[in-house]
Amino acid sequence: MTYAIIAYVLSGLLWVAYIATVLARLKRARKDAR
Amino acid sequence: MNRNVPDWWRKGATWLWRAALVLVGISLAMIAFRAPIEAVMGPVQKIVYIHVPSAIVTLLAFGIAFAAAIAYLATKQWIWDAISAASCEVGLVFATVVMISGPLWARSAWNTWWTWEPRLTTFFILWILYAAYQVIRASIRSSSKRTISAVMAIVFFVNLPIVWKSVEWWRGSLHPRSVTMTGEMRQVLLFSMMAWIVFFAAVLERRLQLEWAREAAAREAAARDAAPGGFQPGAPEARRA
């Protein structure tokens, strides 16, 4: 059970971190395009 | 070129994100409360509901990158390169989820974190190749960046059928050739696959917006440099930069 929870939590954290980087890069690119 | 995507795109993206988050939420609830506990492995078997859909979406993402790369080489339109690059990046995140969940499954099922059996080895090579794609693409500053990226997306795709067929082509595979699931397990797995495919589409859309904004920024910069009194090599501004 512990391994299953670790798998889901780590996957969730990875997605949150990745989407945060995409949004941050998007914000900077839009600023550059002004 | 507008730095933001068109209105119809933005409205569609909002609905896509809502659908993706609701579907992933429902799939997680189904995994927790609806999927039965497997008799031999116990609750740890529920890793399969994120491992298998992520693996399928990885193949889908790299397949899209491959097709878009061919379209770019045929047409030389930037949007195909954008789709290919975005799909490679999002696919790599799904592949990383597979690489995280796999060893956690293996520890319970095979009593080892890692073993060099055919499916694991070929998938690991796949992960390395597409990670290398990101590094190489980011390091190219010349005008041939898009062409080189497209060639990589096409060449690296050759490994996908090898990953898929590895359990049949080599002996000693711990992965089963096929899995037969019935009843609620099958329902939950299929629903999870559908949810993660929609989630992939939503993340890909946002990543494409990034490529759109970068293209707009590049065109703005080119237009400024081309304008009278614009960027001049050797001018004080250029030296400061």
Side-chain angles (χ1 to χ4, degrees):
Chain A
M1 183 67 174
T2 310
Y3 288 152
I5 292 169
I6 292 170
Y8 280 92
V9 169
L10 286 180
S11 301
L13 289 174
L14 178 67
W15 276 115
V16 169
Y18 175 67
I19 291 168
T21 67
V22 171
L23 294 178
R25 284 183 288 167
L26 184 58
K27 193 177 172 185
R28 196 172 63 191
R30 282 181 177 159
K31 204 173 161 186
D32 291 345
R34 269 180 210 161
Chain B
M1 186 175 180
N2 196 320
R3 68 195 168 92
N4 291 318
V5 294
D7 274 348
W8 61 266
W9 180 341
R10 210 181 315 168
K11 284 176 188 166
T14 306
W15 283 105
L16 186 62
W17 267 104
R18 283 176 188 164
L21 293 176
V22 167
L23 287 173
V24 168
I26 292 171
S27 85
L28 291 176
M30 285 174 79
I31 291 163
F33 305 114
R34 188 176 170 84
I37 306 286
E38 207 264 342
V40 178
M41 286 185 68
V44 77
Q45 180 269 346
K46 293 192 177 194
I47 289 175
V48 80
Y49 301 113
I50 194 170
H51 183 74
V52 174
S54 296
I56 297 290
V57 177
T58 301
L59 303 186
L60 175 70
F62 294 156
I64 290 171
F66 169 74
I70 292 174
Y72 173 74
L73 291 181
T75 63
K76 293 287 177 185
Q77 288 179 345
W78 75 271
I79 190 69
W80 293 117
D81 169 69
I83 293 170
S84 184
S87 201
C88 270
E89 191 178 291
V90 180
L92 183 64
V93 182
F94 273 102
T96 307
V97 170
V98 176
M99 295 292 285
I100 290 170
S101 57
L104 288 161
W105 165 278
R107 185 75 181 89
S108 298
W110 308 330
N111 201 30
T112 180
W113 295 106
W114 185 266
T115 175
W116 294 101
E117 62 100 62
R119 176 61 64 77
L120 264 66
T121 307
T122 51
F123 196 89
F124 181 63
I125 292 168
L126 185 82
W127 190 88
I128 296 274
L129 287 175
Y130 282 90
Y133 173 99
Q134 302 301 326
V135 175
I136 295 168
R137 183 180 166 90
S139 65
I140 302 171
R141 288 280 173 263
S142 70
S143 57
S144 54
K145 175 180 184 169
R146 288 174 175 163
T147 306
I148 293 170
S149 299
V151 170
M152 283 194 294
I154 292 166
V155 172
F156 294 169
F157 183 78
V158 171
N159 196 33
L160 257 83
I162 298 173
V163 173
W164 187 263
K165 287 284 183 184
S166 60
V167 292
E168 295 174 23
W169 289 350
W170 288 285
R171 289 177 188 173
S173 177
L174 294 171
H175 280 82
R177 286 192 177 192
S178 62
V179 178
T180 309
M181 275 190 179
T182 53
E184 288 175 329
M185 276 189 183
R186 184 182 163 84
Q187 279 176 15
V188 174
L189 184 64
L190 290 177
F191 191 89
S192 287
M193 275 190 198
M194 192 257 296
W196 285 106
I197 288 171
V198 175
F199 183 80
F200 162 70
V203 179
L204 182 68
E205 179 281 326
R206 198 46 56 103
R207 183 60 184 75
L208 263 177
Q209 280 201 31
L210 172 59
E211 290 295 326
W212 182 287
R214 282 177 175 170
E215 179 69 13
R219 289 188 185 194
E220 276 287 317
R224 270 199 307 272
D225 296 345
F231 176 85
Q232 295 293 326
E237 288 163 343
R239 279 200 296 272
R240 274 204 302 275

